[in-house]
Amino acid sequence: MADSATPDTGLIQEALVKRLTSIVGASNVRRDDATRKLFSQDIWLPAGELVDLVVSPSSLEELQSVMAVAHKAGAKVAPRGAGMSYTGGYVPSDAGTISLDMARMNRILSVSREDMTVTVEAGVTWKALNDALAPLGLRTPFWGPMSGLKSTIGGGVSQLNAMFGAAHHGTSSESVIAMTIVGATGKTIRTGARGVGGEEPFYRHFGPDITGLFCGDCGVLGVKAEITLRLMTAPDVEAQASFSFPSGPELLKAMAELTRAGVACEICAFDPGLTKIRLKRASLSADVKTLGSVVSKEKSLIKGLMSASKIAMSGRNFVEPDDYPLHVICEGRSEAAVDADMKEARRIVSSFGGKEIENSIAKILRSMPFPALNSMVGPTGEAWVPIHGVCSLKNAPEIFKEIQSVYAAHADEMSAQDVHPGFLFTSMSTNALIIEPVFFWPQGWREIHEEGMEASHTARLTQRPENPEATALVKTLRAALLGIFQKYGCGHFQIGRTYPYIESRDDASVELLEAVKAVMDPEGALNPGVLGLPVKGGQA
């Protein structure tokens, strides 16, 4: 490969580079090998084909011009947010690809308490948005994933997000009112009811829900430029409780009933394996920082100190080593309302055999919602990758049992290759559970992990060589689990090139999606092969 002074930029011609440079500036068209490699990999996939260059627009107008120029030149474009995907959703399919880095489009454009809306550019992070809204006593209904320190709102809407606020308000897309979207040719559409002059979006539904077409599309239909979300008054009161269960199926039955009852804003749980990983991961310095955040979160210093002291006294022994811990968070406008919800949560949990434990982790989840992204690898630097299914409430326990059967069938191989599984379970609104199996195995991290983690944390880890045999086993296990999710008709977020979307749709739905694609991206230049859509002129 050529060095950074004379980069090998494949199909991208110098005339195109000059035009792009004239639009965004020389420092925002990057062609060095290190940047190209970084932007060509995700958390799961190493760099295969490299992007030819990385372009970073800073406004809607620059984005429109970049897309129009790239289209005229016949270049493919892969939009990228924070790079947190693990499904091949933005990696290049072949040569001649421009990686569209949305990080510079990071302005909060307007906050309207009158209309209870906020409009942001796609590169705004969830943490930045929450930091801006908190002093106003406002919040979006869904307010971010745990990776919200770096995860962007544009990426979250493209891929879909789960976690904070999801048990009441659903995924990130369900808090979206309107979007401004730029297609592959530079053509721009604006969705939703948009108020005076079309510049004050305030409500999502005005005829067919065009906004919904672009939620969860992984950037294959258009590039999110501006996003308007609903606002709500931030709840005044919150409470946390934690419980433990002796088995996964009973945990999932309890989670399903809690979900039906709608009493919690967040419900999440871990299996014993993931609990052990989490407790091994943190350092003493992180513990001190965590205790400080718990103190500051409480409305009174005395209450905060009491909460922090309980966490300190419980140490790392939050739950018995073979139990499944469940964490429930309730919020509302009054203590009486929150107490009533928590009382009902405790009743439901008890009816399924759950026992209450110290609520340390539940408190930490709320006091530090967007921690540093050090969990992108295992506690000593092992490779990490998840897979997930959005499951119906009734099927979740059976899905879990079948996954455990896969692990039992491969137990000897997993032991020999030092592959360790874990689970994260979360709830979505009143009608779904997410089962997210994760894998850890002895293989080193890559550039994308190093970019996301704290340097002080990375320095304490052990870098490992490539481990093709263990990685092959993880691929086999993920494929088996994906088959189980397919069997039960599960949904998926961040579909990318991993989850079978087109294959699961009826012919008329595919025809409709392809028609939308033809309008927004007539040459198939945006993320070829993502969602399983046909690739023009070659294979993805």
Side-chain angles (χ1 to χ4, degrees):
M1 182 177 292
D3 62 27
S4 58
T6 57
D8 173 12
T9 51
L11 301 183
I12 299 297
Q13 301 298 314
E14 279 301 317
L16 174 57
V17 175
K18 289 179 180 178
R19 294 202 64 186
L20 292 171
T21 299
S22 71
I23 296 169
V24 301
S27 63
N28 300 306
V29 177
R30 287 168 285 172
R31 308 171 68 187
D32 61 280
D33 290 344
T35 300
R36 292 171 60 212
K37 186 175 182 181
L38 174 64
F39 278 72
S40 301
Q41 57 187 253
D42 69 7
I43 292 172
W44 168 233
L45 295 171
E49 187 72 50
L50 294 188
V51 297
D52 282 34
L53 68 161
V54 177
V55 179
S56 305
S58 66
S59 66
L60 171 62
E61 294 73 22
E62 286 188 4
L63 174 61
Q64 290 168 322
S65 297
V66 165
M67 297 305 293
V69 167
H71 172 72
K72 188 173 181 180
K76 296 180 173 60
V77 178
R80 183 183 188 271
M84 303 301 295
S85 172
Y86 55 87
T87 59
Y90 62 77
V91 298
S93 59
D94 51 26
T97 296
I98 297 171
S99 180
L100 188 66
D101 174 21
M102 299 297 290
R104 294 179 68 224
M105 291 184 63
N106 60 5
R107 295 176 297 167
I108 297 174
L109 299 174
S110 67
V111 179
S112 173
R113 193 179 189 285
E114 290 180 302
D115 286 334
M116 293 298 278
T117 64
V118 58
T119 299
V120 303
E121 290 180 323
V124 172
T125 67
W126 289 100
K127 185 180 187 302
L129 177 60
N130 279 279
D131 287 349
L133 295 176
L136 307 175
L138 300 173
R139 199 189 81 192
T140 54
F142 175 88
W143 51 282
M146 284 191 282
S147 59
L149 178 67
K150 292 200 173 184
S151 290
T152 64
I153 294 169
V157 175
S158 292
Q159 304 275 20
L160 303 185
N161 284 142
M163 192 54 195
F164 294 113
H168 275 165
H169 305 289
T171 186
S172 48
S173 65
E174 292 170 79
S175 292
V176 175
I177 290 173
M179 289 193 280
T180 299
I181 299 154
V182 179
T185 65
K187 178 188 301 183
T188 301
I189 66 169
R190 293 171 171 83
T191 72
R194 302 194 65 89
V196 177
E199 297 301 327
E200 297 179 355
F202 67 96
Y203 192 68
R204 177 161 170 168
H205 298 286
F206 183 27
D209 182 18
I210 297 177
T211 301
L213 286 171
F214 298 92
C215 295
D217 74 327
C218 299
V220 79
L221 298 179
V223 183
K224 282 80 180 163
E226 298 172 1
I227 301 162
T228 302
L229 301 107
R230 290 188 292 126
L231 291 176
M232 57 181 277
T233 301
D236 292 322
V237 182
E238 65 181 51
Q240 310 87 10
S242 296
F243 309 90
S244 68
F245 290 81
S247 78
E250 289 307 305
L251 163 73
L252 289 166
K253 290 175 186 177
M255 288 184 69
E257 194 59 28
L258 287 167
T259 301
R260 296 182 188 104
V263 294
C265 57
E266 284 113 45
I267 304 170
C268 71
F270 309 100
D271 76 312
L274 197 53
T275 298
K276 293 170 186 174
I277 291 288
R278 289 179 63 84
L279 297 183
K280 284 166 56 180
R281 186 188 307 280
S283 66
L284 179 60
S285 61
D287 288 342
V288 172
K289 184 178 179 181
T290 296
L291 295 180
S293 71
V294 171
V295 172
S296 64
K297 180 69 174 177
E298 297 287 2
K299 293 187 180 296
S300 77
L301 177 60
I302 293 176
K303 190 175 180 182
L305 291 171
M306 289 177 63
S307 295
S309 66
K310 284 184 178 180
I311 293 174
M313 287 188 294
S314 66
R316 301 290 176 85
N317 299 315
F318 301 132
V319 63
E320 291 299 318
D322 294 323
D323 280 2
Y324 290 74
L326 167 68
H327 310 292
V328 177
I329 300 171
C330 300
E331 64 182 16
R333 289 179 291 179
S334 71
E335 287 190 16
V338 173
D339 287 347
D341 283 343
M342 190 59 78
K343 181 179 179 180
E344 177 62 6
R346 287 187 168 100
R347 185 197 67 78
I348 290 170
V349 168
S350 178
S351 70
F352 287 92
K355 296 181 180 180
E356 190 156 1
I357 58 175
E358 176 58 48
N359 63 353
S360 302
I361 290 179
K363 281 187 176 294
I364 291 168
L365 284 172
R366 265 306 179 103
S367 66
M368 295 182 66
F370 306 127
L373 304 182
N374 297 332
S375 58
M376 293 173 71
V377 300
T380 66
E382 306 94 323
W384 165 86
V385 70
I387 190 170
H388 74 273
V390 183
C391 310
S392 68
L393 300 180
K394 68 179 179 182
N395 287 331
E398 290 305 313
I399 292 171
F400 174 77
K401 289 178 182 177
E402 291 202 25
I403 292 172
Q404 293 288 57
S405 295
V406 169
Y407 293 165
H410 291 273
D412 290 343
E413 297 167 81
M414 293 170 71
S415 177
Q417 297 296 337
D418 203 17
V419 173
H420 298 279
F423 285 92
L424 171 65
F425 311 99
T426 53
S427 65
M428 294 299 295
S429 191
T430 60
N431 57 334
L433 294 177
I434 298 177
I435 296 179
E436 184 171 311
V438 301
F439 298 96
F440 301 87
W441 71 105
Q443 176 170 281
W445 65 85
R446 290 178 277 106
E447 292 86 351
I448 192 167
H449 304 96
E450 195 155 330
E451 183 194 45
M453 297 186 293
E454 293 176 304
S456 58
H457 178 76
T458 307
R460 293 192 295 266
L461 303 178
T462 301
Q463 177 63 289
R464 294 169 170 84
E466 292 291 313
N467 190 338
E469 290 186 5
T471 301
L473 177 58
V474 172
K475 290 180 180 179
T476 297
L477 293 169
R478 290 178 89 232
L481 270 51
L482 183 55
I484 294 171
F485 290 135
Q486 287 181 267
K487 172 184 172 181
Y488 285 91
C490 295
H492 301 283
F493 297 163
Q494 61 161 293
I495 295 166
R497 297 184 177 92
T498 296
Y499 297 106
Y501 177 71
I502 284 294
E503 302 92 321
S504 70
R505 302 299 92 187
D506 56 70
D507 291 344
S509 295
V510 174
E511 187 177 359
L512 174 62
L513 187 63
E514 289 179 342
V516 175
K517 176 74 168 172
V519 170
M520 297 300 297
D521 182 16
E523 300 303 320
L526 279 171
N527 274 354
V530 168
L531 299 188
L533 285 166
V535 178
K536 292 191 175 184
Q539 299 295 318

